[in-house]
Amino acid sequence: MSVITISDQEFTQFQHFIYEAAGITLSPAKKALVSGRLSKRLQHCRVNSYGEYFRLLTSGDASDEVQTAVDLLTTNETYFFREQKHFDFLREQALAARKRTQAFRVWSAASSTGEEGYSIAMVLADCLADAPWEVIGTDISTRVLQKARIGHYPAERAKLIPPAYLKRFCLKGTGPQQGTLLIERSLRNRMRFMQANLNTSLPQLGLFDVIFLRNVMIYFNGDTKRQVVARVLSLLKPDGYFCIGHSESLNDITDAVQLVAPSIYRKA
Ligand SMILES: C[S@@+](CC[C@H](N)C(=O)[O-])C[C@H]1O[C@@H](n2cnc3c(N)ncnc32)[C@H](O)[C@@H]1O
């Protein structure tokens, strides 16, 4: 079987496609990534070129295939307790909220396969005990959201889960499930995962005490970042906290929040 190559013009079409769909800017260096990730879909859809696949996506008749292409073109790398300082900070905030009657609400705004949301939920379950709390995870990719809801992971992704949390909130796979872990049912049942595209108007999620928007802005250009951050911050309570990835920055993006610790901001 001959290998189908992607031309520069076809690559440009996919750059536009994912920019329109998700606000993601793909540099020219991503040409091989695009052709590699989509090649199986050409076979599946029985088309003979990337251009033909692009026409299918933009025909208006293939919404499931559009979602599949978005799923494939997003990068979903994540792990539990990534960037530990944010979880130490969350712990302090949750402990300070213990006496509150109103639910303490946290949003994992690009939750990928759910490790970030479950890490947040473990901290809140530990610190807030019977006080009300809620964690919502959202992502543009339905494929990662499905995985998040199931909560079943390769064990190596859990290296940074504190041992006490591992014992309390995770079931260790045995037999054919060896080398995996399953998030314990009661914690899984408390999480809500739903689709939200940060690049369009957001669903009604209510207001949050803390928002995690981590390791997704790196894929956006300046204008998209400004729009996404404004949209996301409109759901943060006054005095609420906003956590971004350690390699990301809000320079020239917003003045609605003030830096209180590295990569942690408070809404004015
Ligand atoms: C690298 S993961 C980051 C996961 C997690 N926040 C972390 O820091 O480990 C980036 C996630 O952003 C999601 N994403 C990309 N563009 C998006 C958009 N426009 N709206 C919502 N999610 C988006 C991707 O699907 C992916 O799951």
Side-chain angles (χ1 to χ4, degrees):
M1 200 185 59
S2 65
V3 175
I4 303 173
T5 55
I6 187 167
S7 69
D8 285 347
Q9 193 204 346
E10 288 167 332
F11 174 63
T12 306
Q13 291 176 321
F14 286 99
Q15 281 179 308
H16 287 305
F17 167 78
I18 196 64
Y19 182 72
E20 289 300 320
I24 293 172
T25 299
L26 289 176
S27 74
K30 295 284 158 57
K31 193 172 159 189
L33 177 143
V34 168
S35 66
R37 288 192 184 174
L38 297 180
S39 65
K40 285 216 173 79
R41 299 313 297 168
L42 270 61
Q43 280 172 36
H44 180 91
C45 299
R46 297 173 196 279
V47 296
N48 294 318
S49 70
Y50 285 89
E52 216 181 308
Y53 183 58
F54 173 76
R55 283 191 289 285
L56 172 71
L57 293 180
T58 49
S59 65
D61 290 333
S63 57
D64 286 355
E65 192 57 37
V66 168
Q67 181 64 53
T68 303
V70 168
D71 287 351
L72 288 169
L73 292 176
T74 48
T75 295
N76 313 114
E77 198 217 323
T78 187
Y79 46 91
F80 289 94
F81 288 89
R82 182 177 194 175
E83 303 178 8
Q84 174 67 41
K85 288 246 161 20
H86 289 151
F87 297 95
D88 298 340
F89 182 82
L90 181 69
R91 189 180 177 78
E92 285 167 25
Q93 298 311 312
L95 288 173
R98 261 190 304 188
K99 299 254 152 41
R100 264 177 34 177
T101 49
Q102 239 185 356
F104 186 81
R105 303 188 75 240
V106 185
W107 179 22
S108 165
S111 58
S112 188
T113 35
E115 290 87 333
E116 182 176 273
Y118 287 123
S119 304
I120 295 168
M122 288 180 201
V123 172
L124 299 193
D126 182 30
C127 297
L128 288 170
D130 295 331
W133 57 268
E134 203 181 336
V135 185
I136 298 181
T138 64
D139 202 280
I140 194 173
S141 163
T142 50
R143 186 178 51 102
V144 295
L145 289 166
Q146 257 165 14
K147 289 194 179 170
R149 289 184 192 109
I150 294 168
H152 189 205
Y153 301 98
E156 70 261 17
R157 209 136 356 129
K159 278 189 194 124
L160 298 178
I161 300 181
Y165 287 1
L166 205 53
K167 206 164 159 203
R168 181 168 163 198
F169 300 116
C170 306
L171 304 169
K172 204 170 164 187
T174 55
Q177 304 296 348
Q178 187 134 24
T180 69
L181 70 84
L182 182 66
I183 301 295
E184 188 264 324
R185 185 192 299 266
S186 64
L187 198 74
R188 244 184 302 142
N189 289 345
R190 289 205 63 166
M191 281 292 308
R192 253 169 75 200
F193 288 104
M194 56 194 279
Q195 191 180 29
N197 182 353
L198 300 170
N199 195 40
T200 58
S201 54
L202 295 168
Q204 297 218 323
L205 298 171
L207 292 179
F208 293 93
D209 295 281
V210 182
I211 297 177
F212 283 59
L213 181 73
R214 306 189 313 161
N215 304 303
V216 62
M217 280 191 285
I218 37 168
Y219 303 107
F220 300 152
N221 68 20
D223 281 344
T224 307
K225 253 197 232 181
R226 265 184 283 279
Q227 287 164 22
V228 166
V229 167
R231 218 173 269 131
V232 168
L233 287 180
S234 73
L235 300 191
L236 186 62
K237 289 181 189 170
D239 294 325
Y241 292 99
F242 185 50
C243 298
I244 66 170
H246 286 334
S247 60
E248 296 170 314
S249 125
L250 290 182
N251 289 345
D252 297 329
I253 298 298
T254 180
D255 48 19
V257 289
Q258 277 142 17
L259 187 72
V260 293
S263 70
I264 303 176
Y265 296 78
R266 185 173 50 228
K267 189 168 176 178

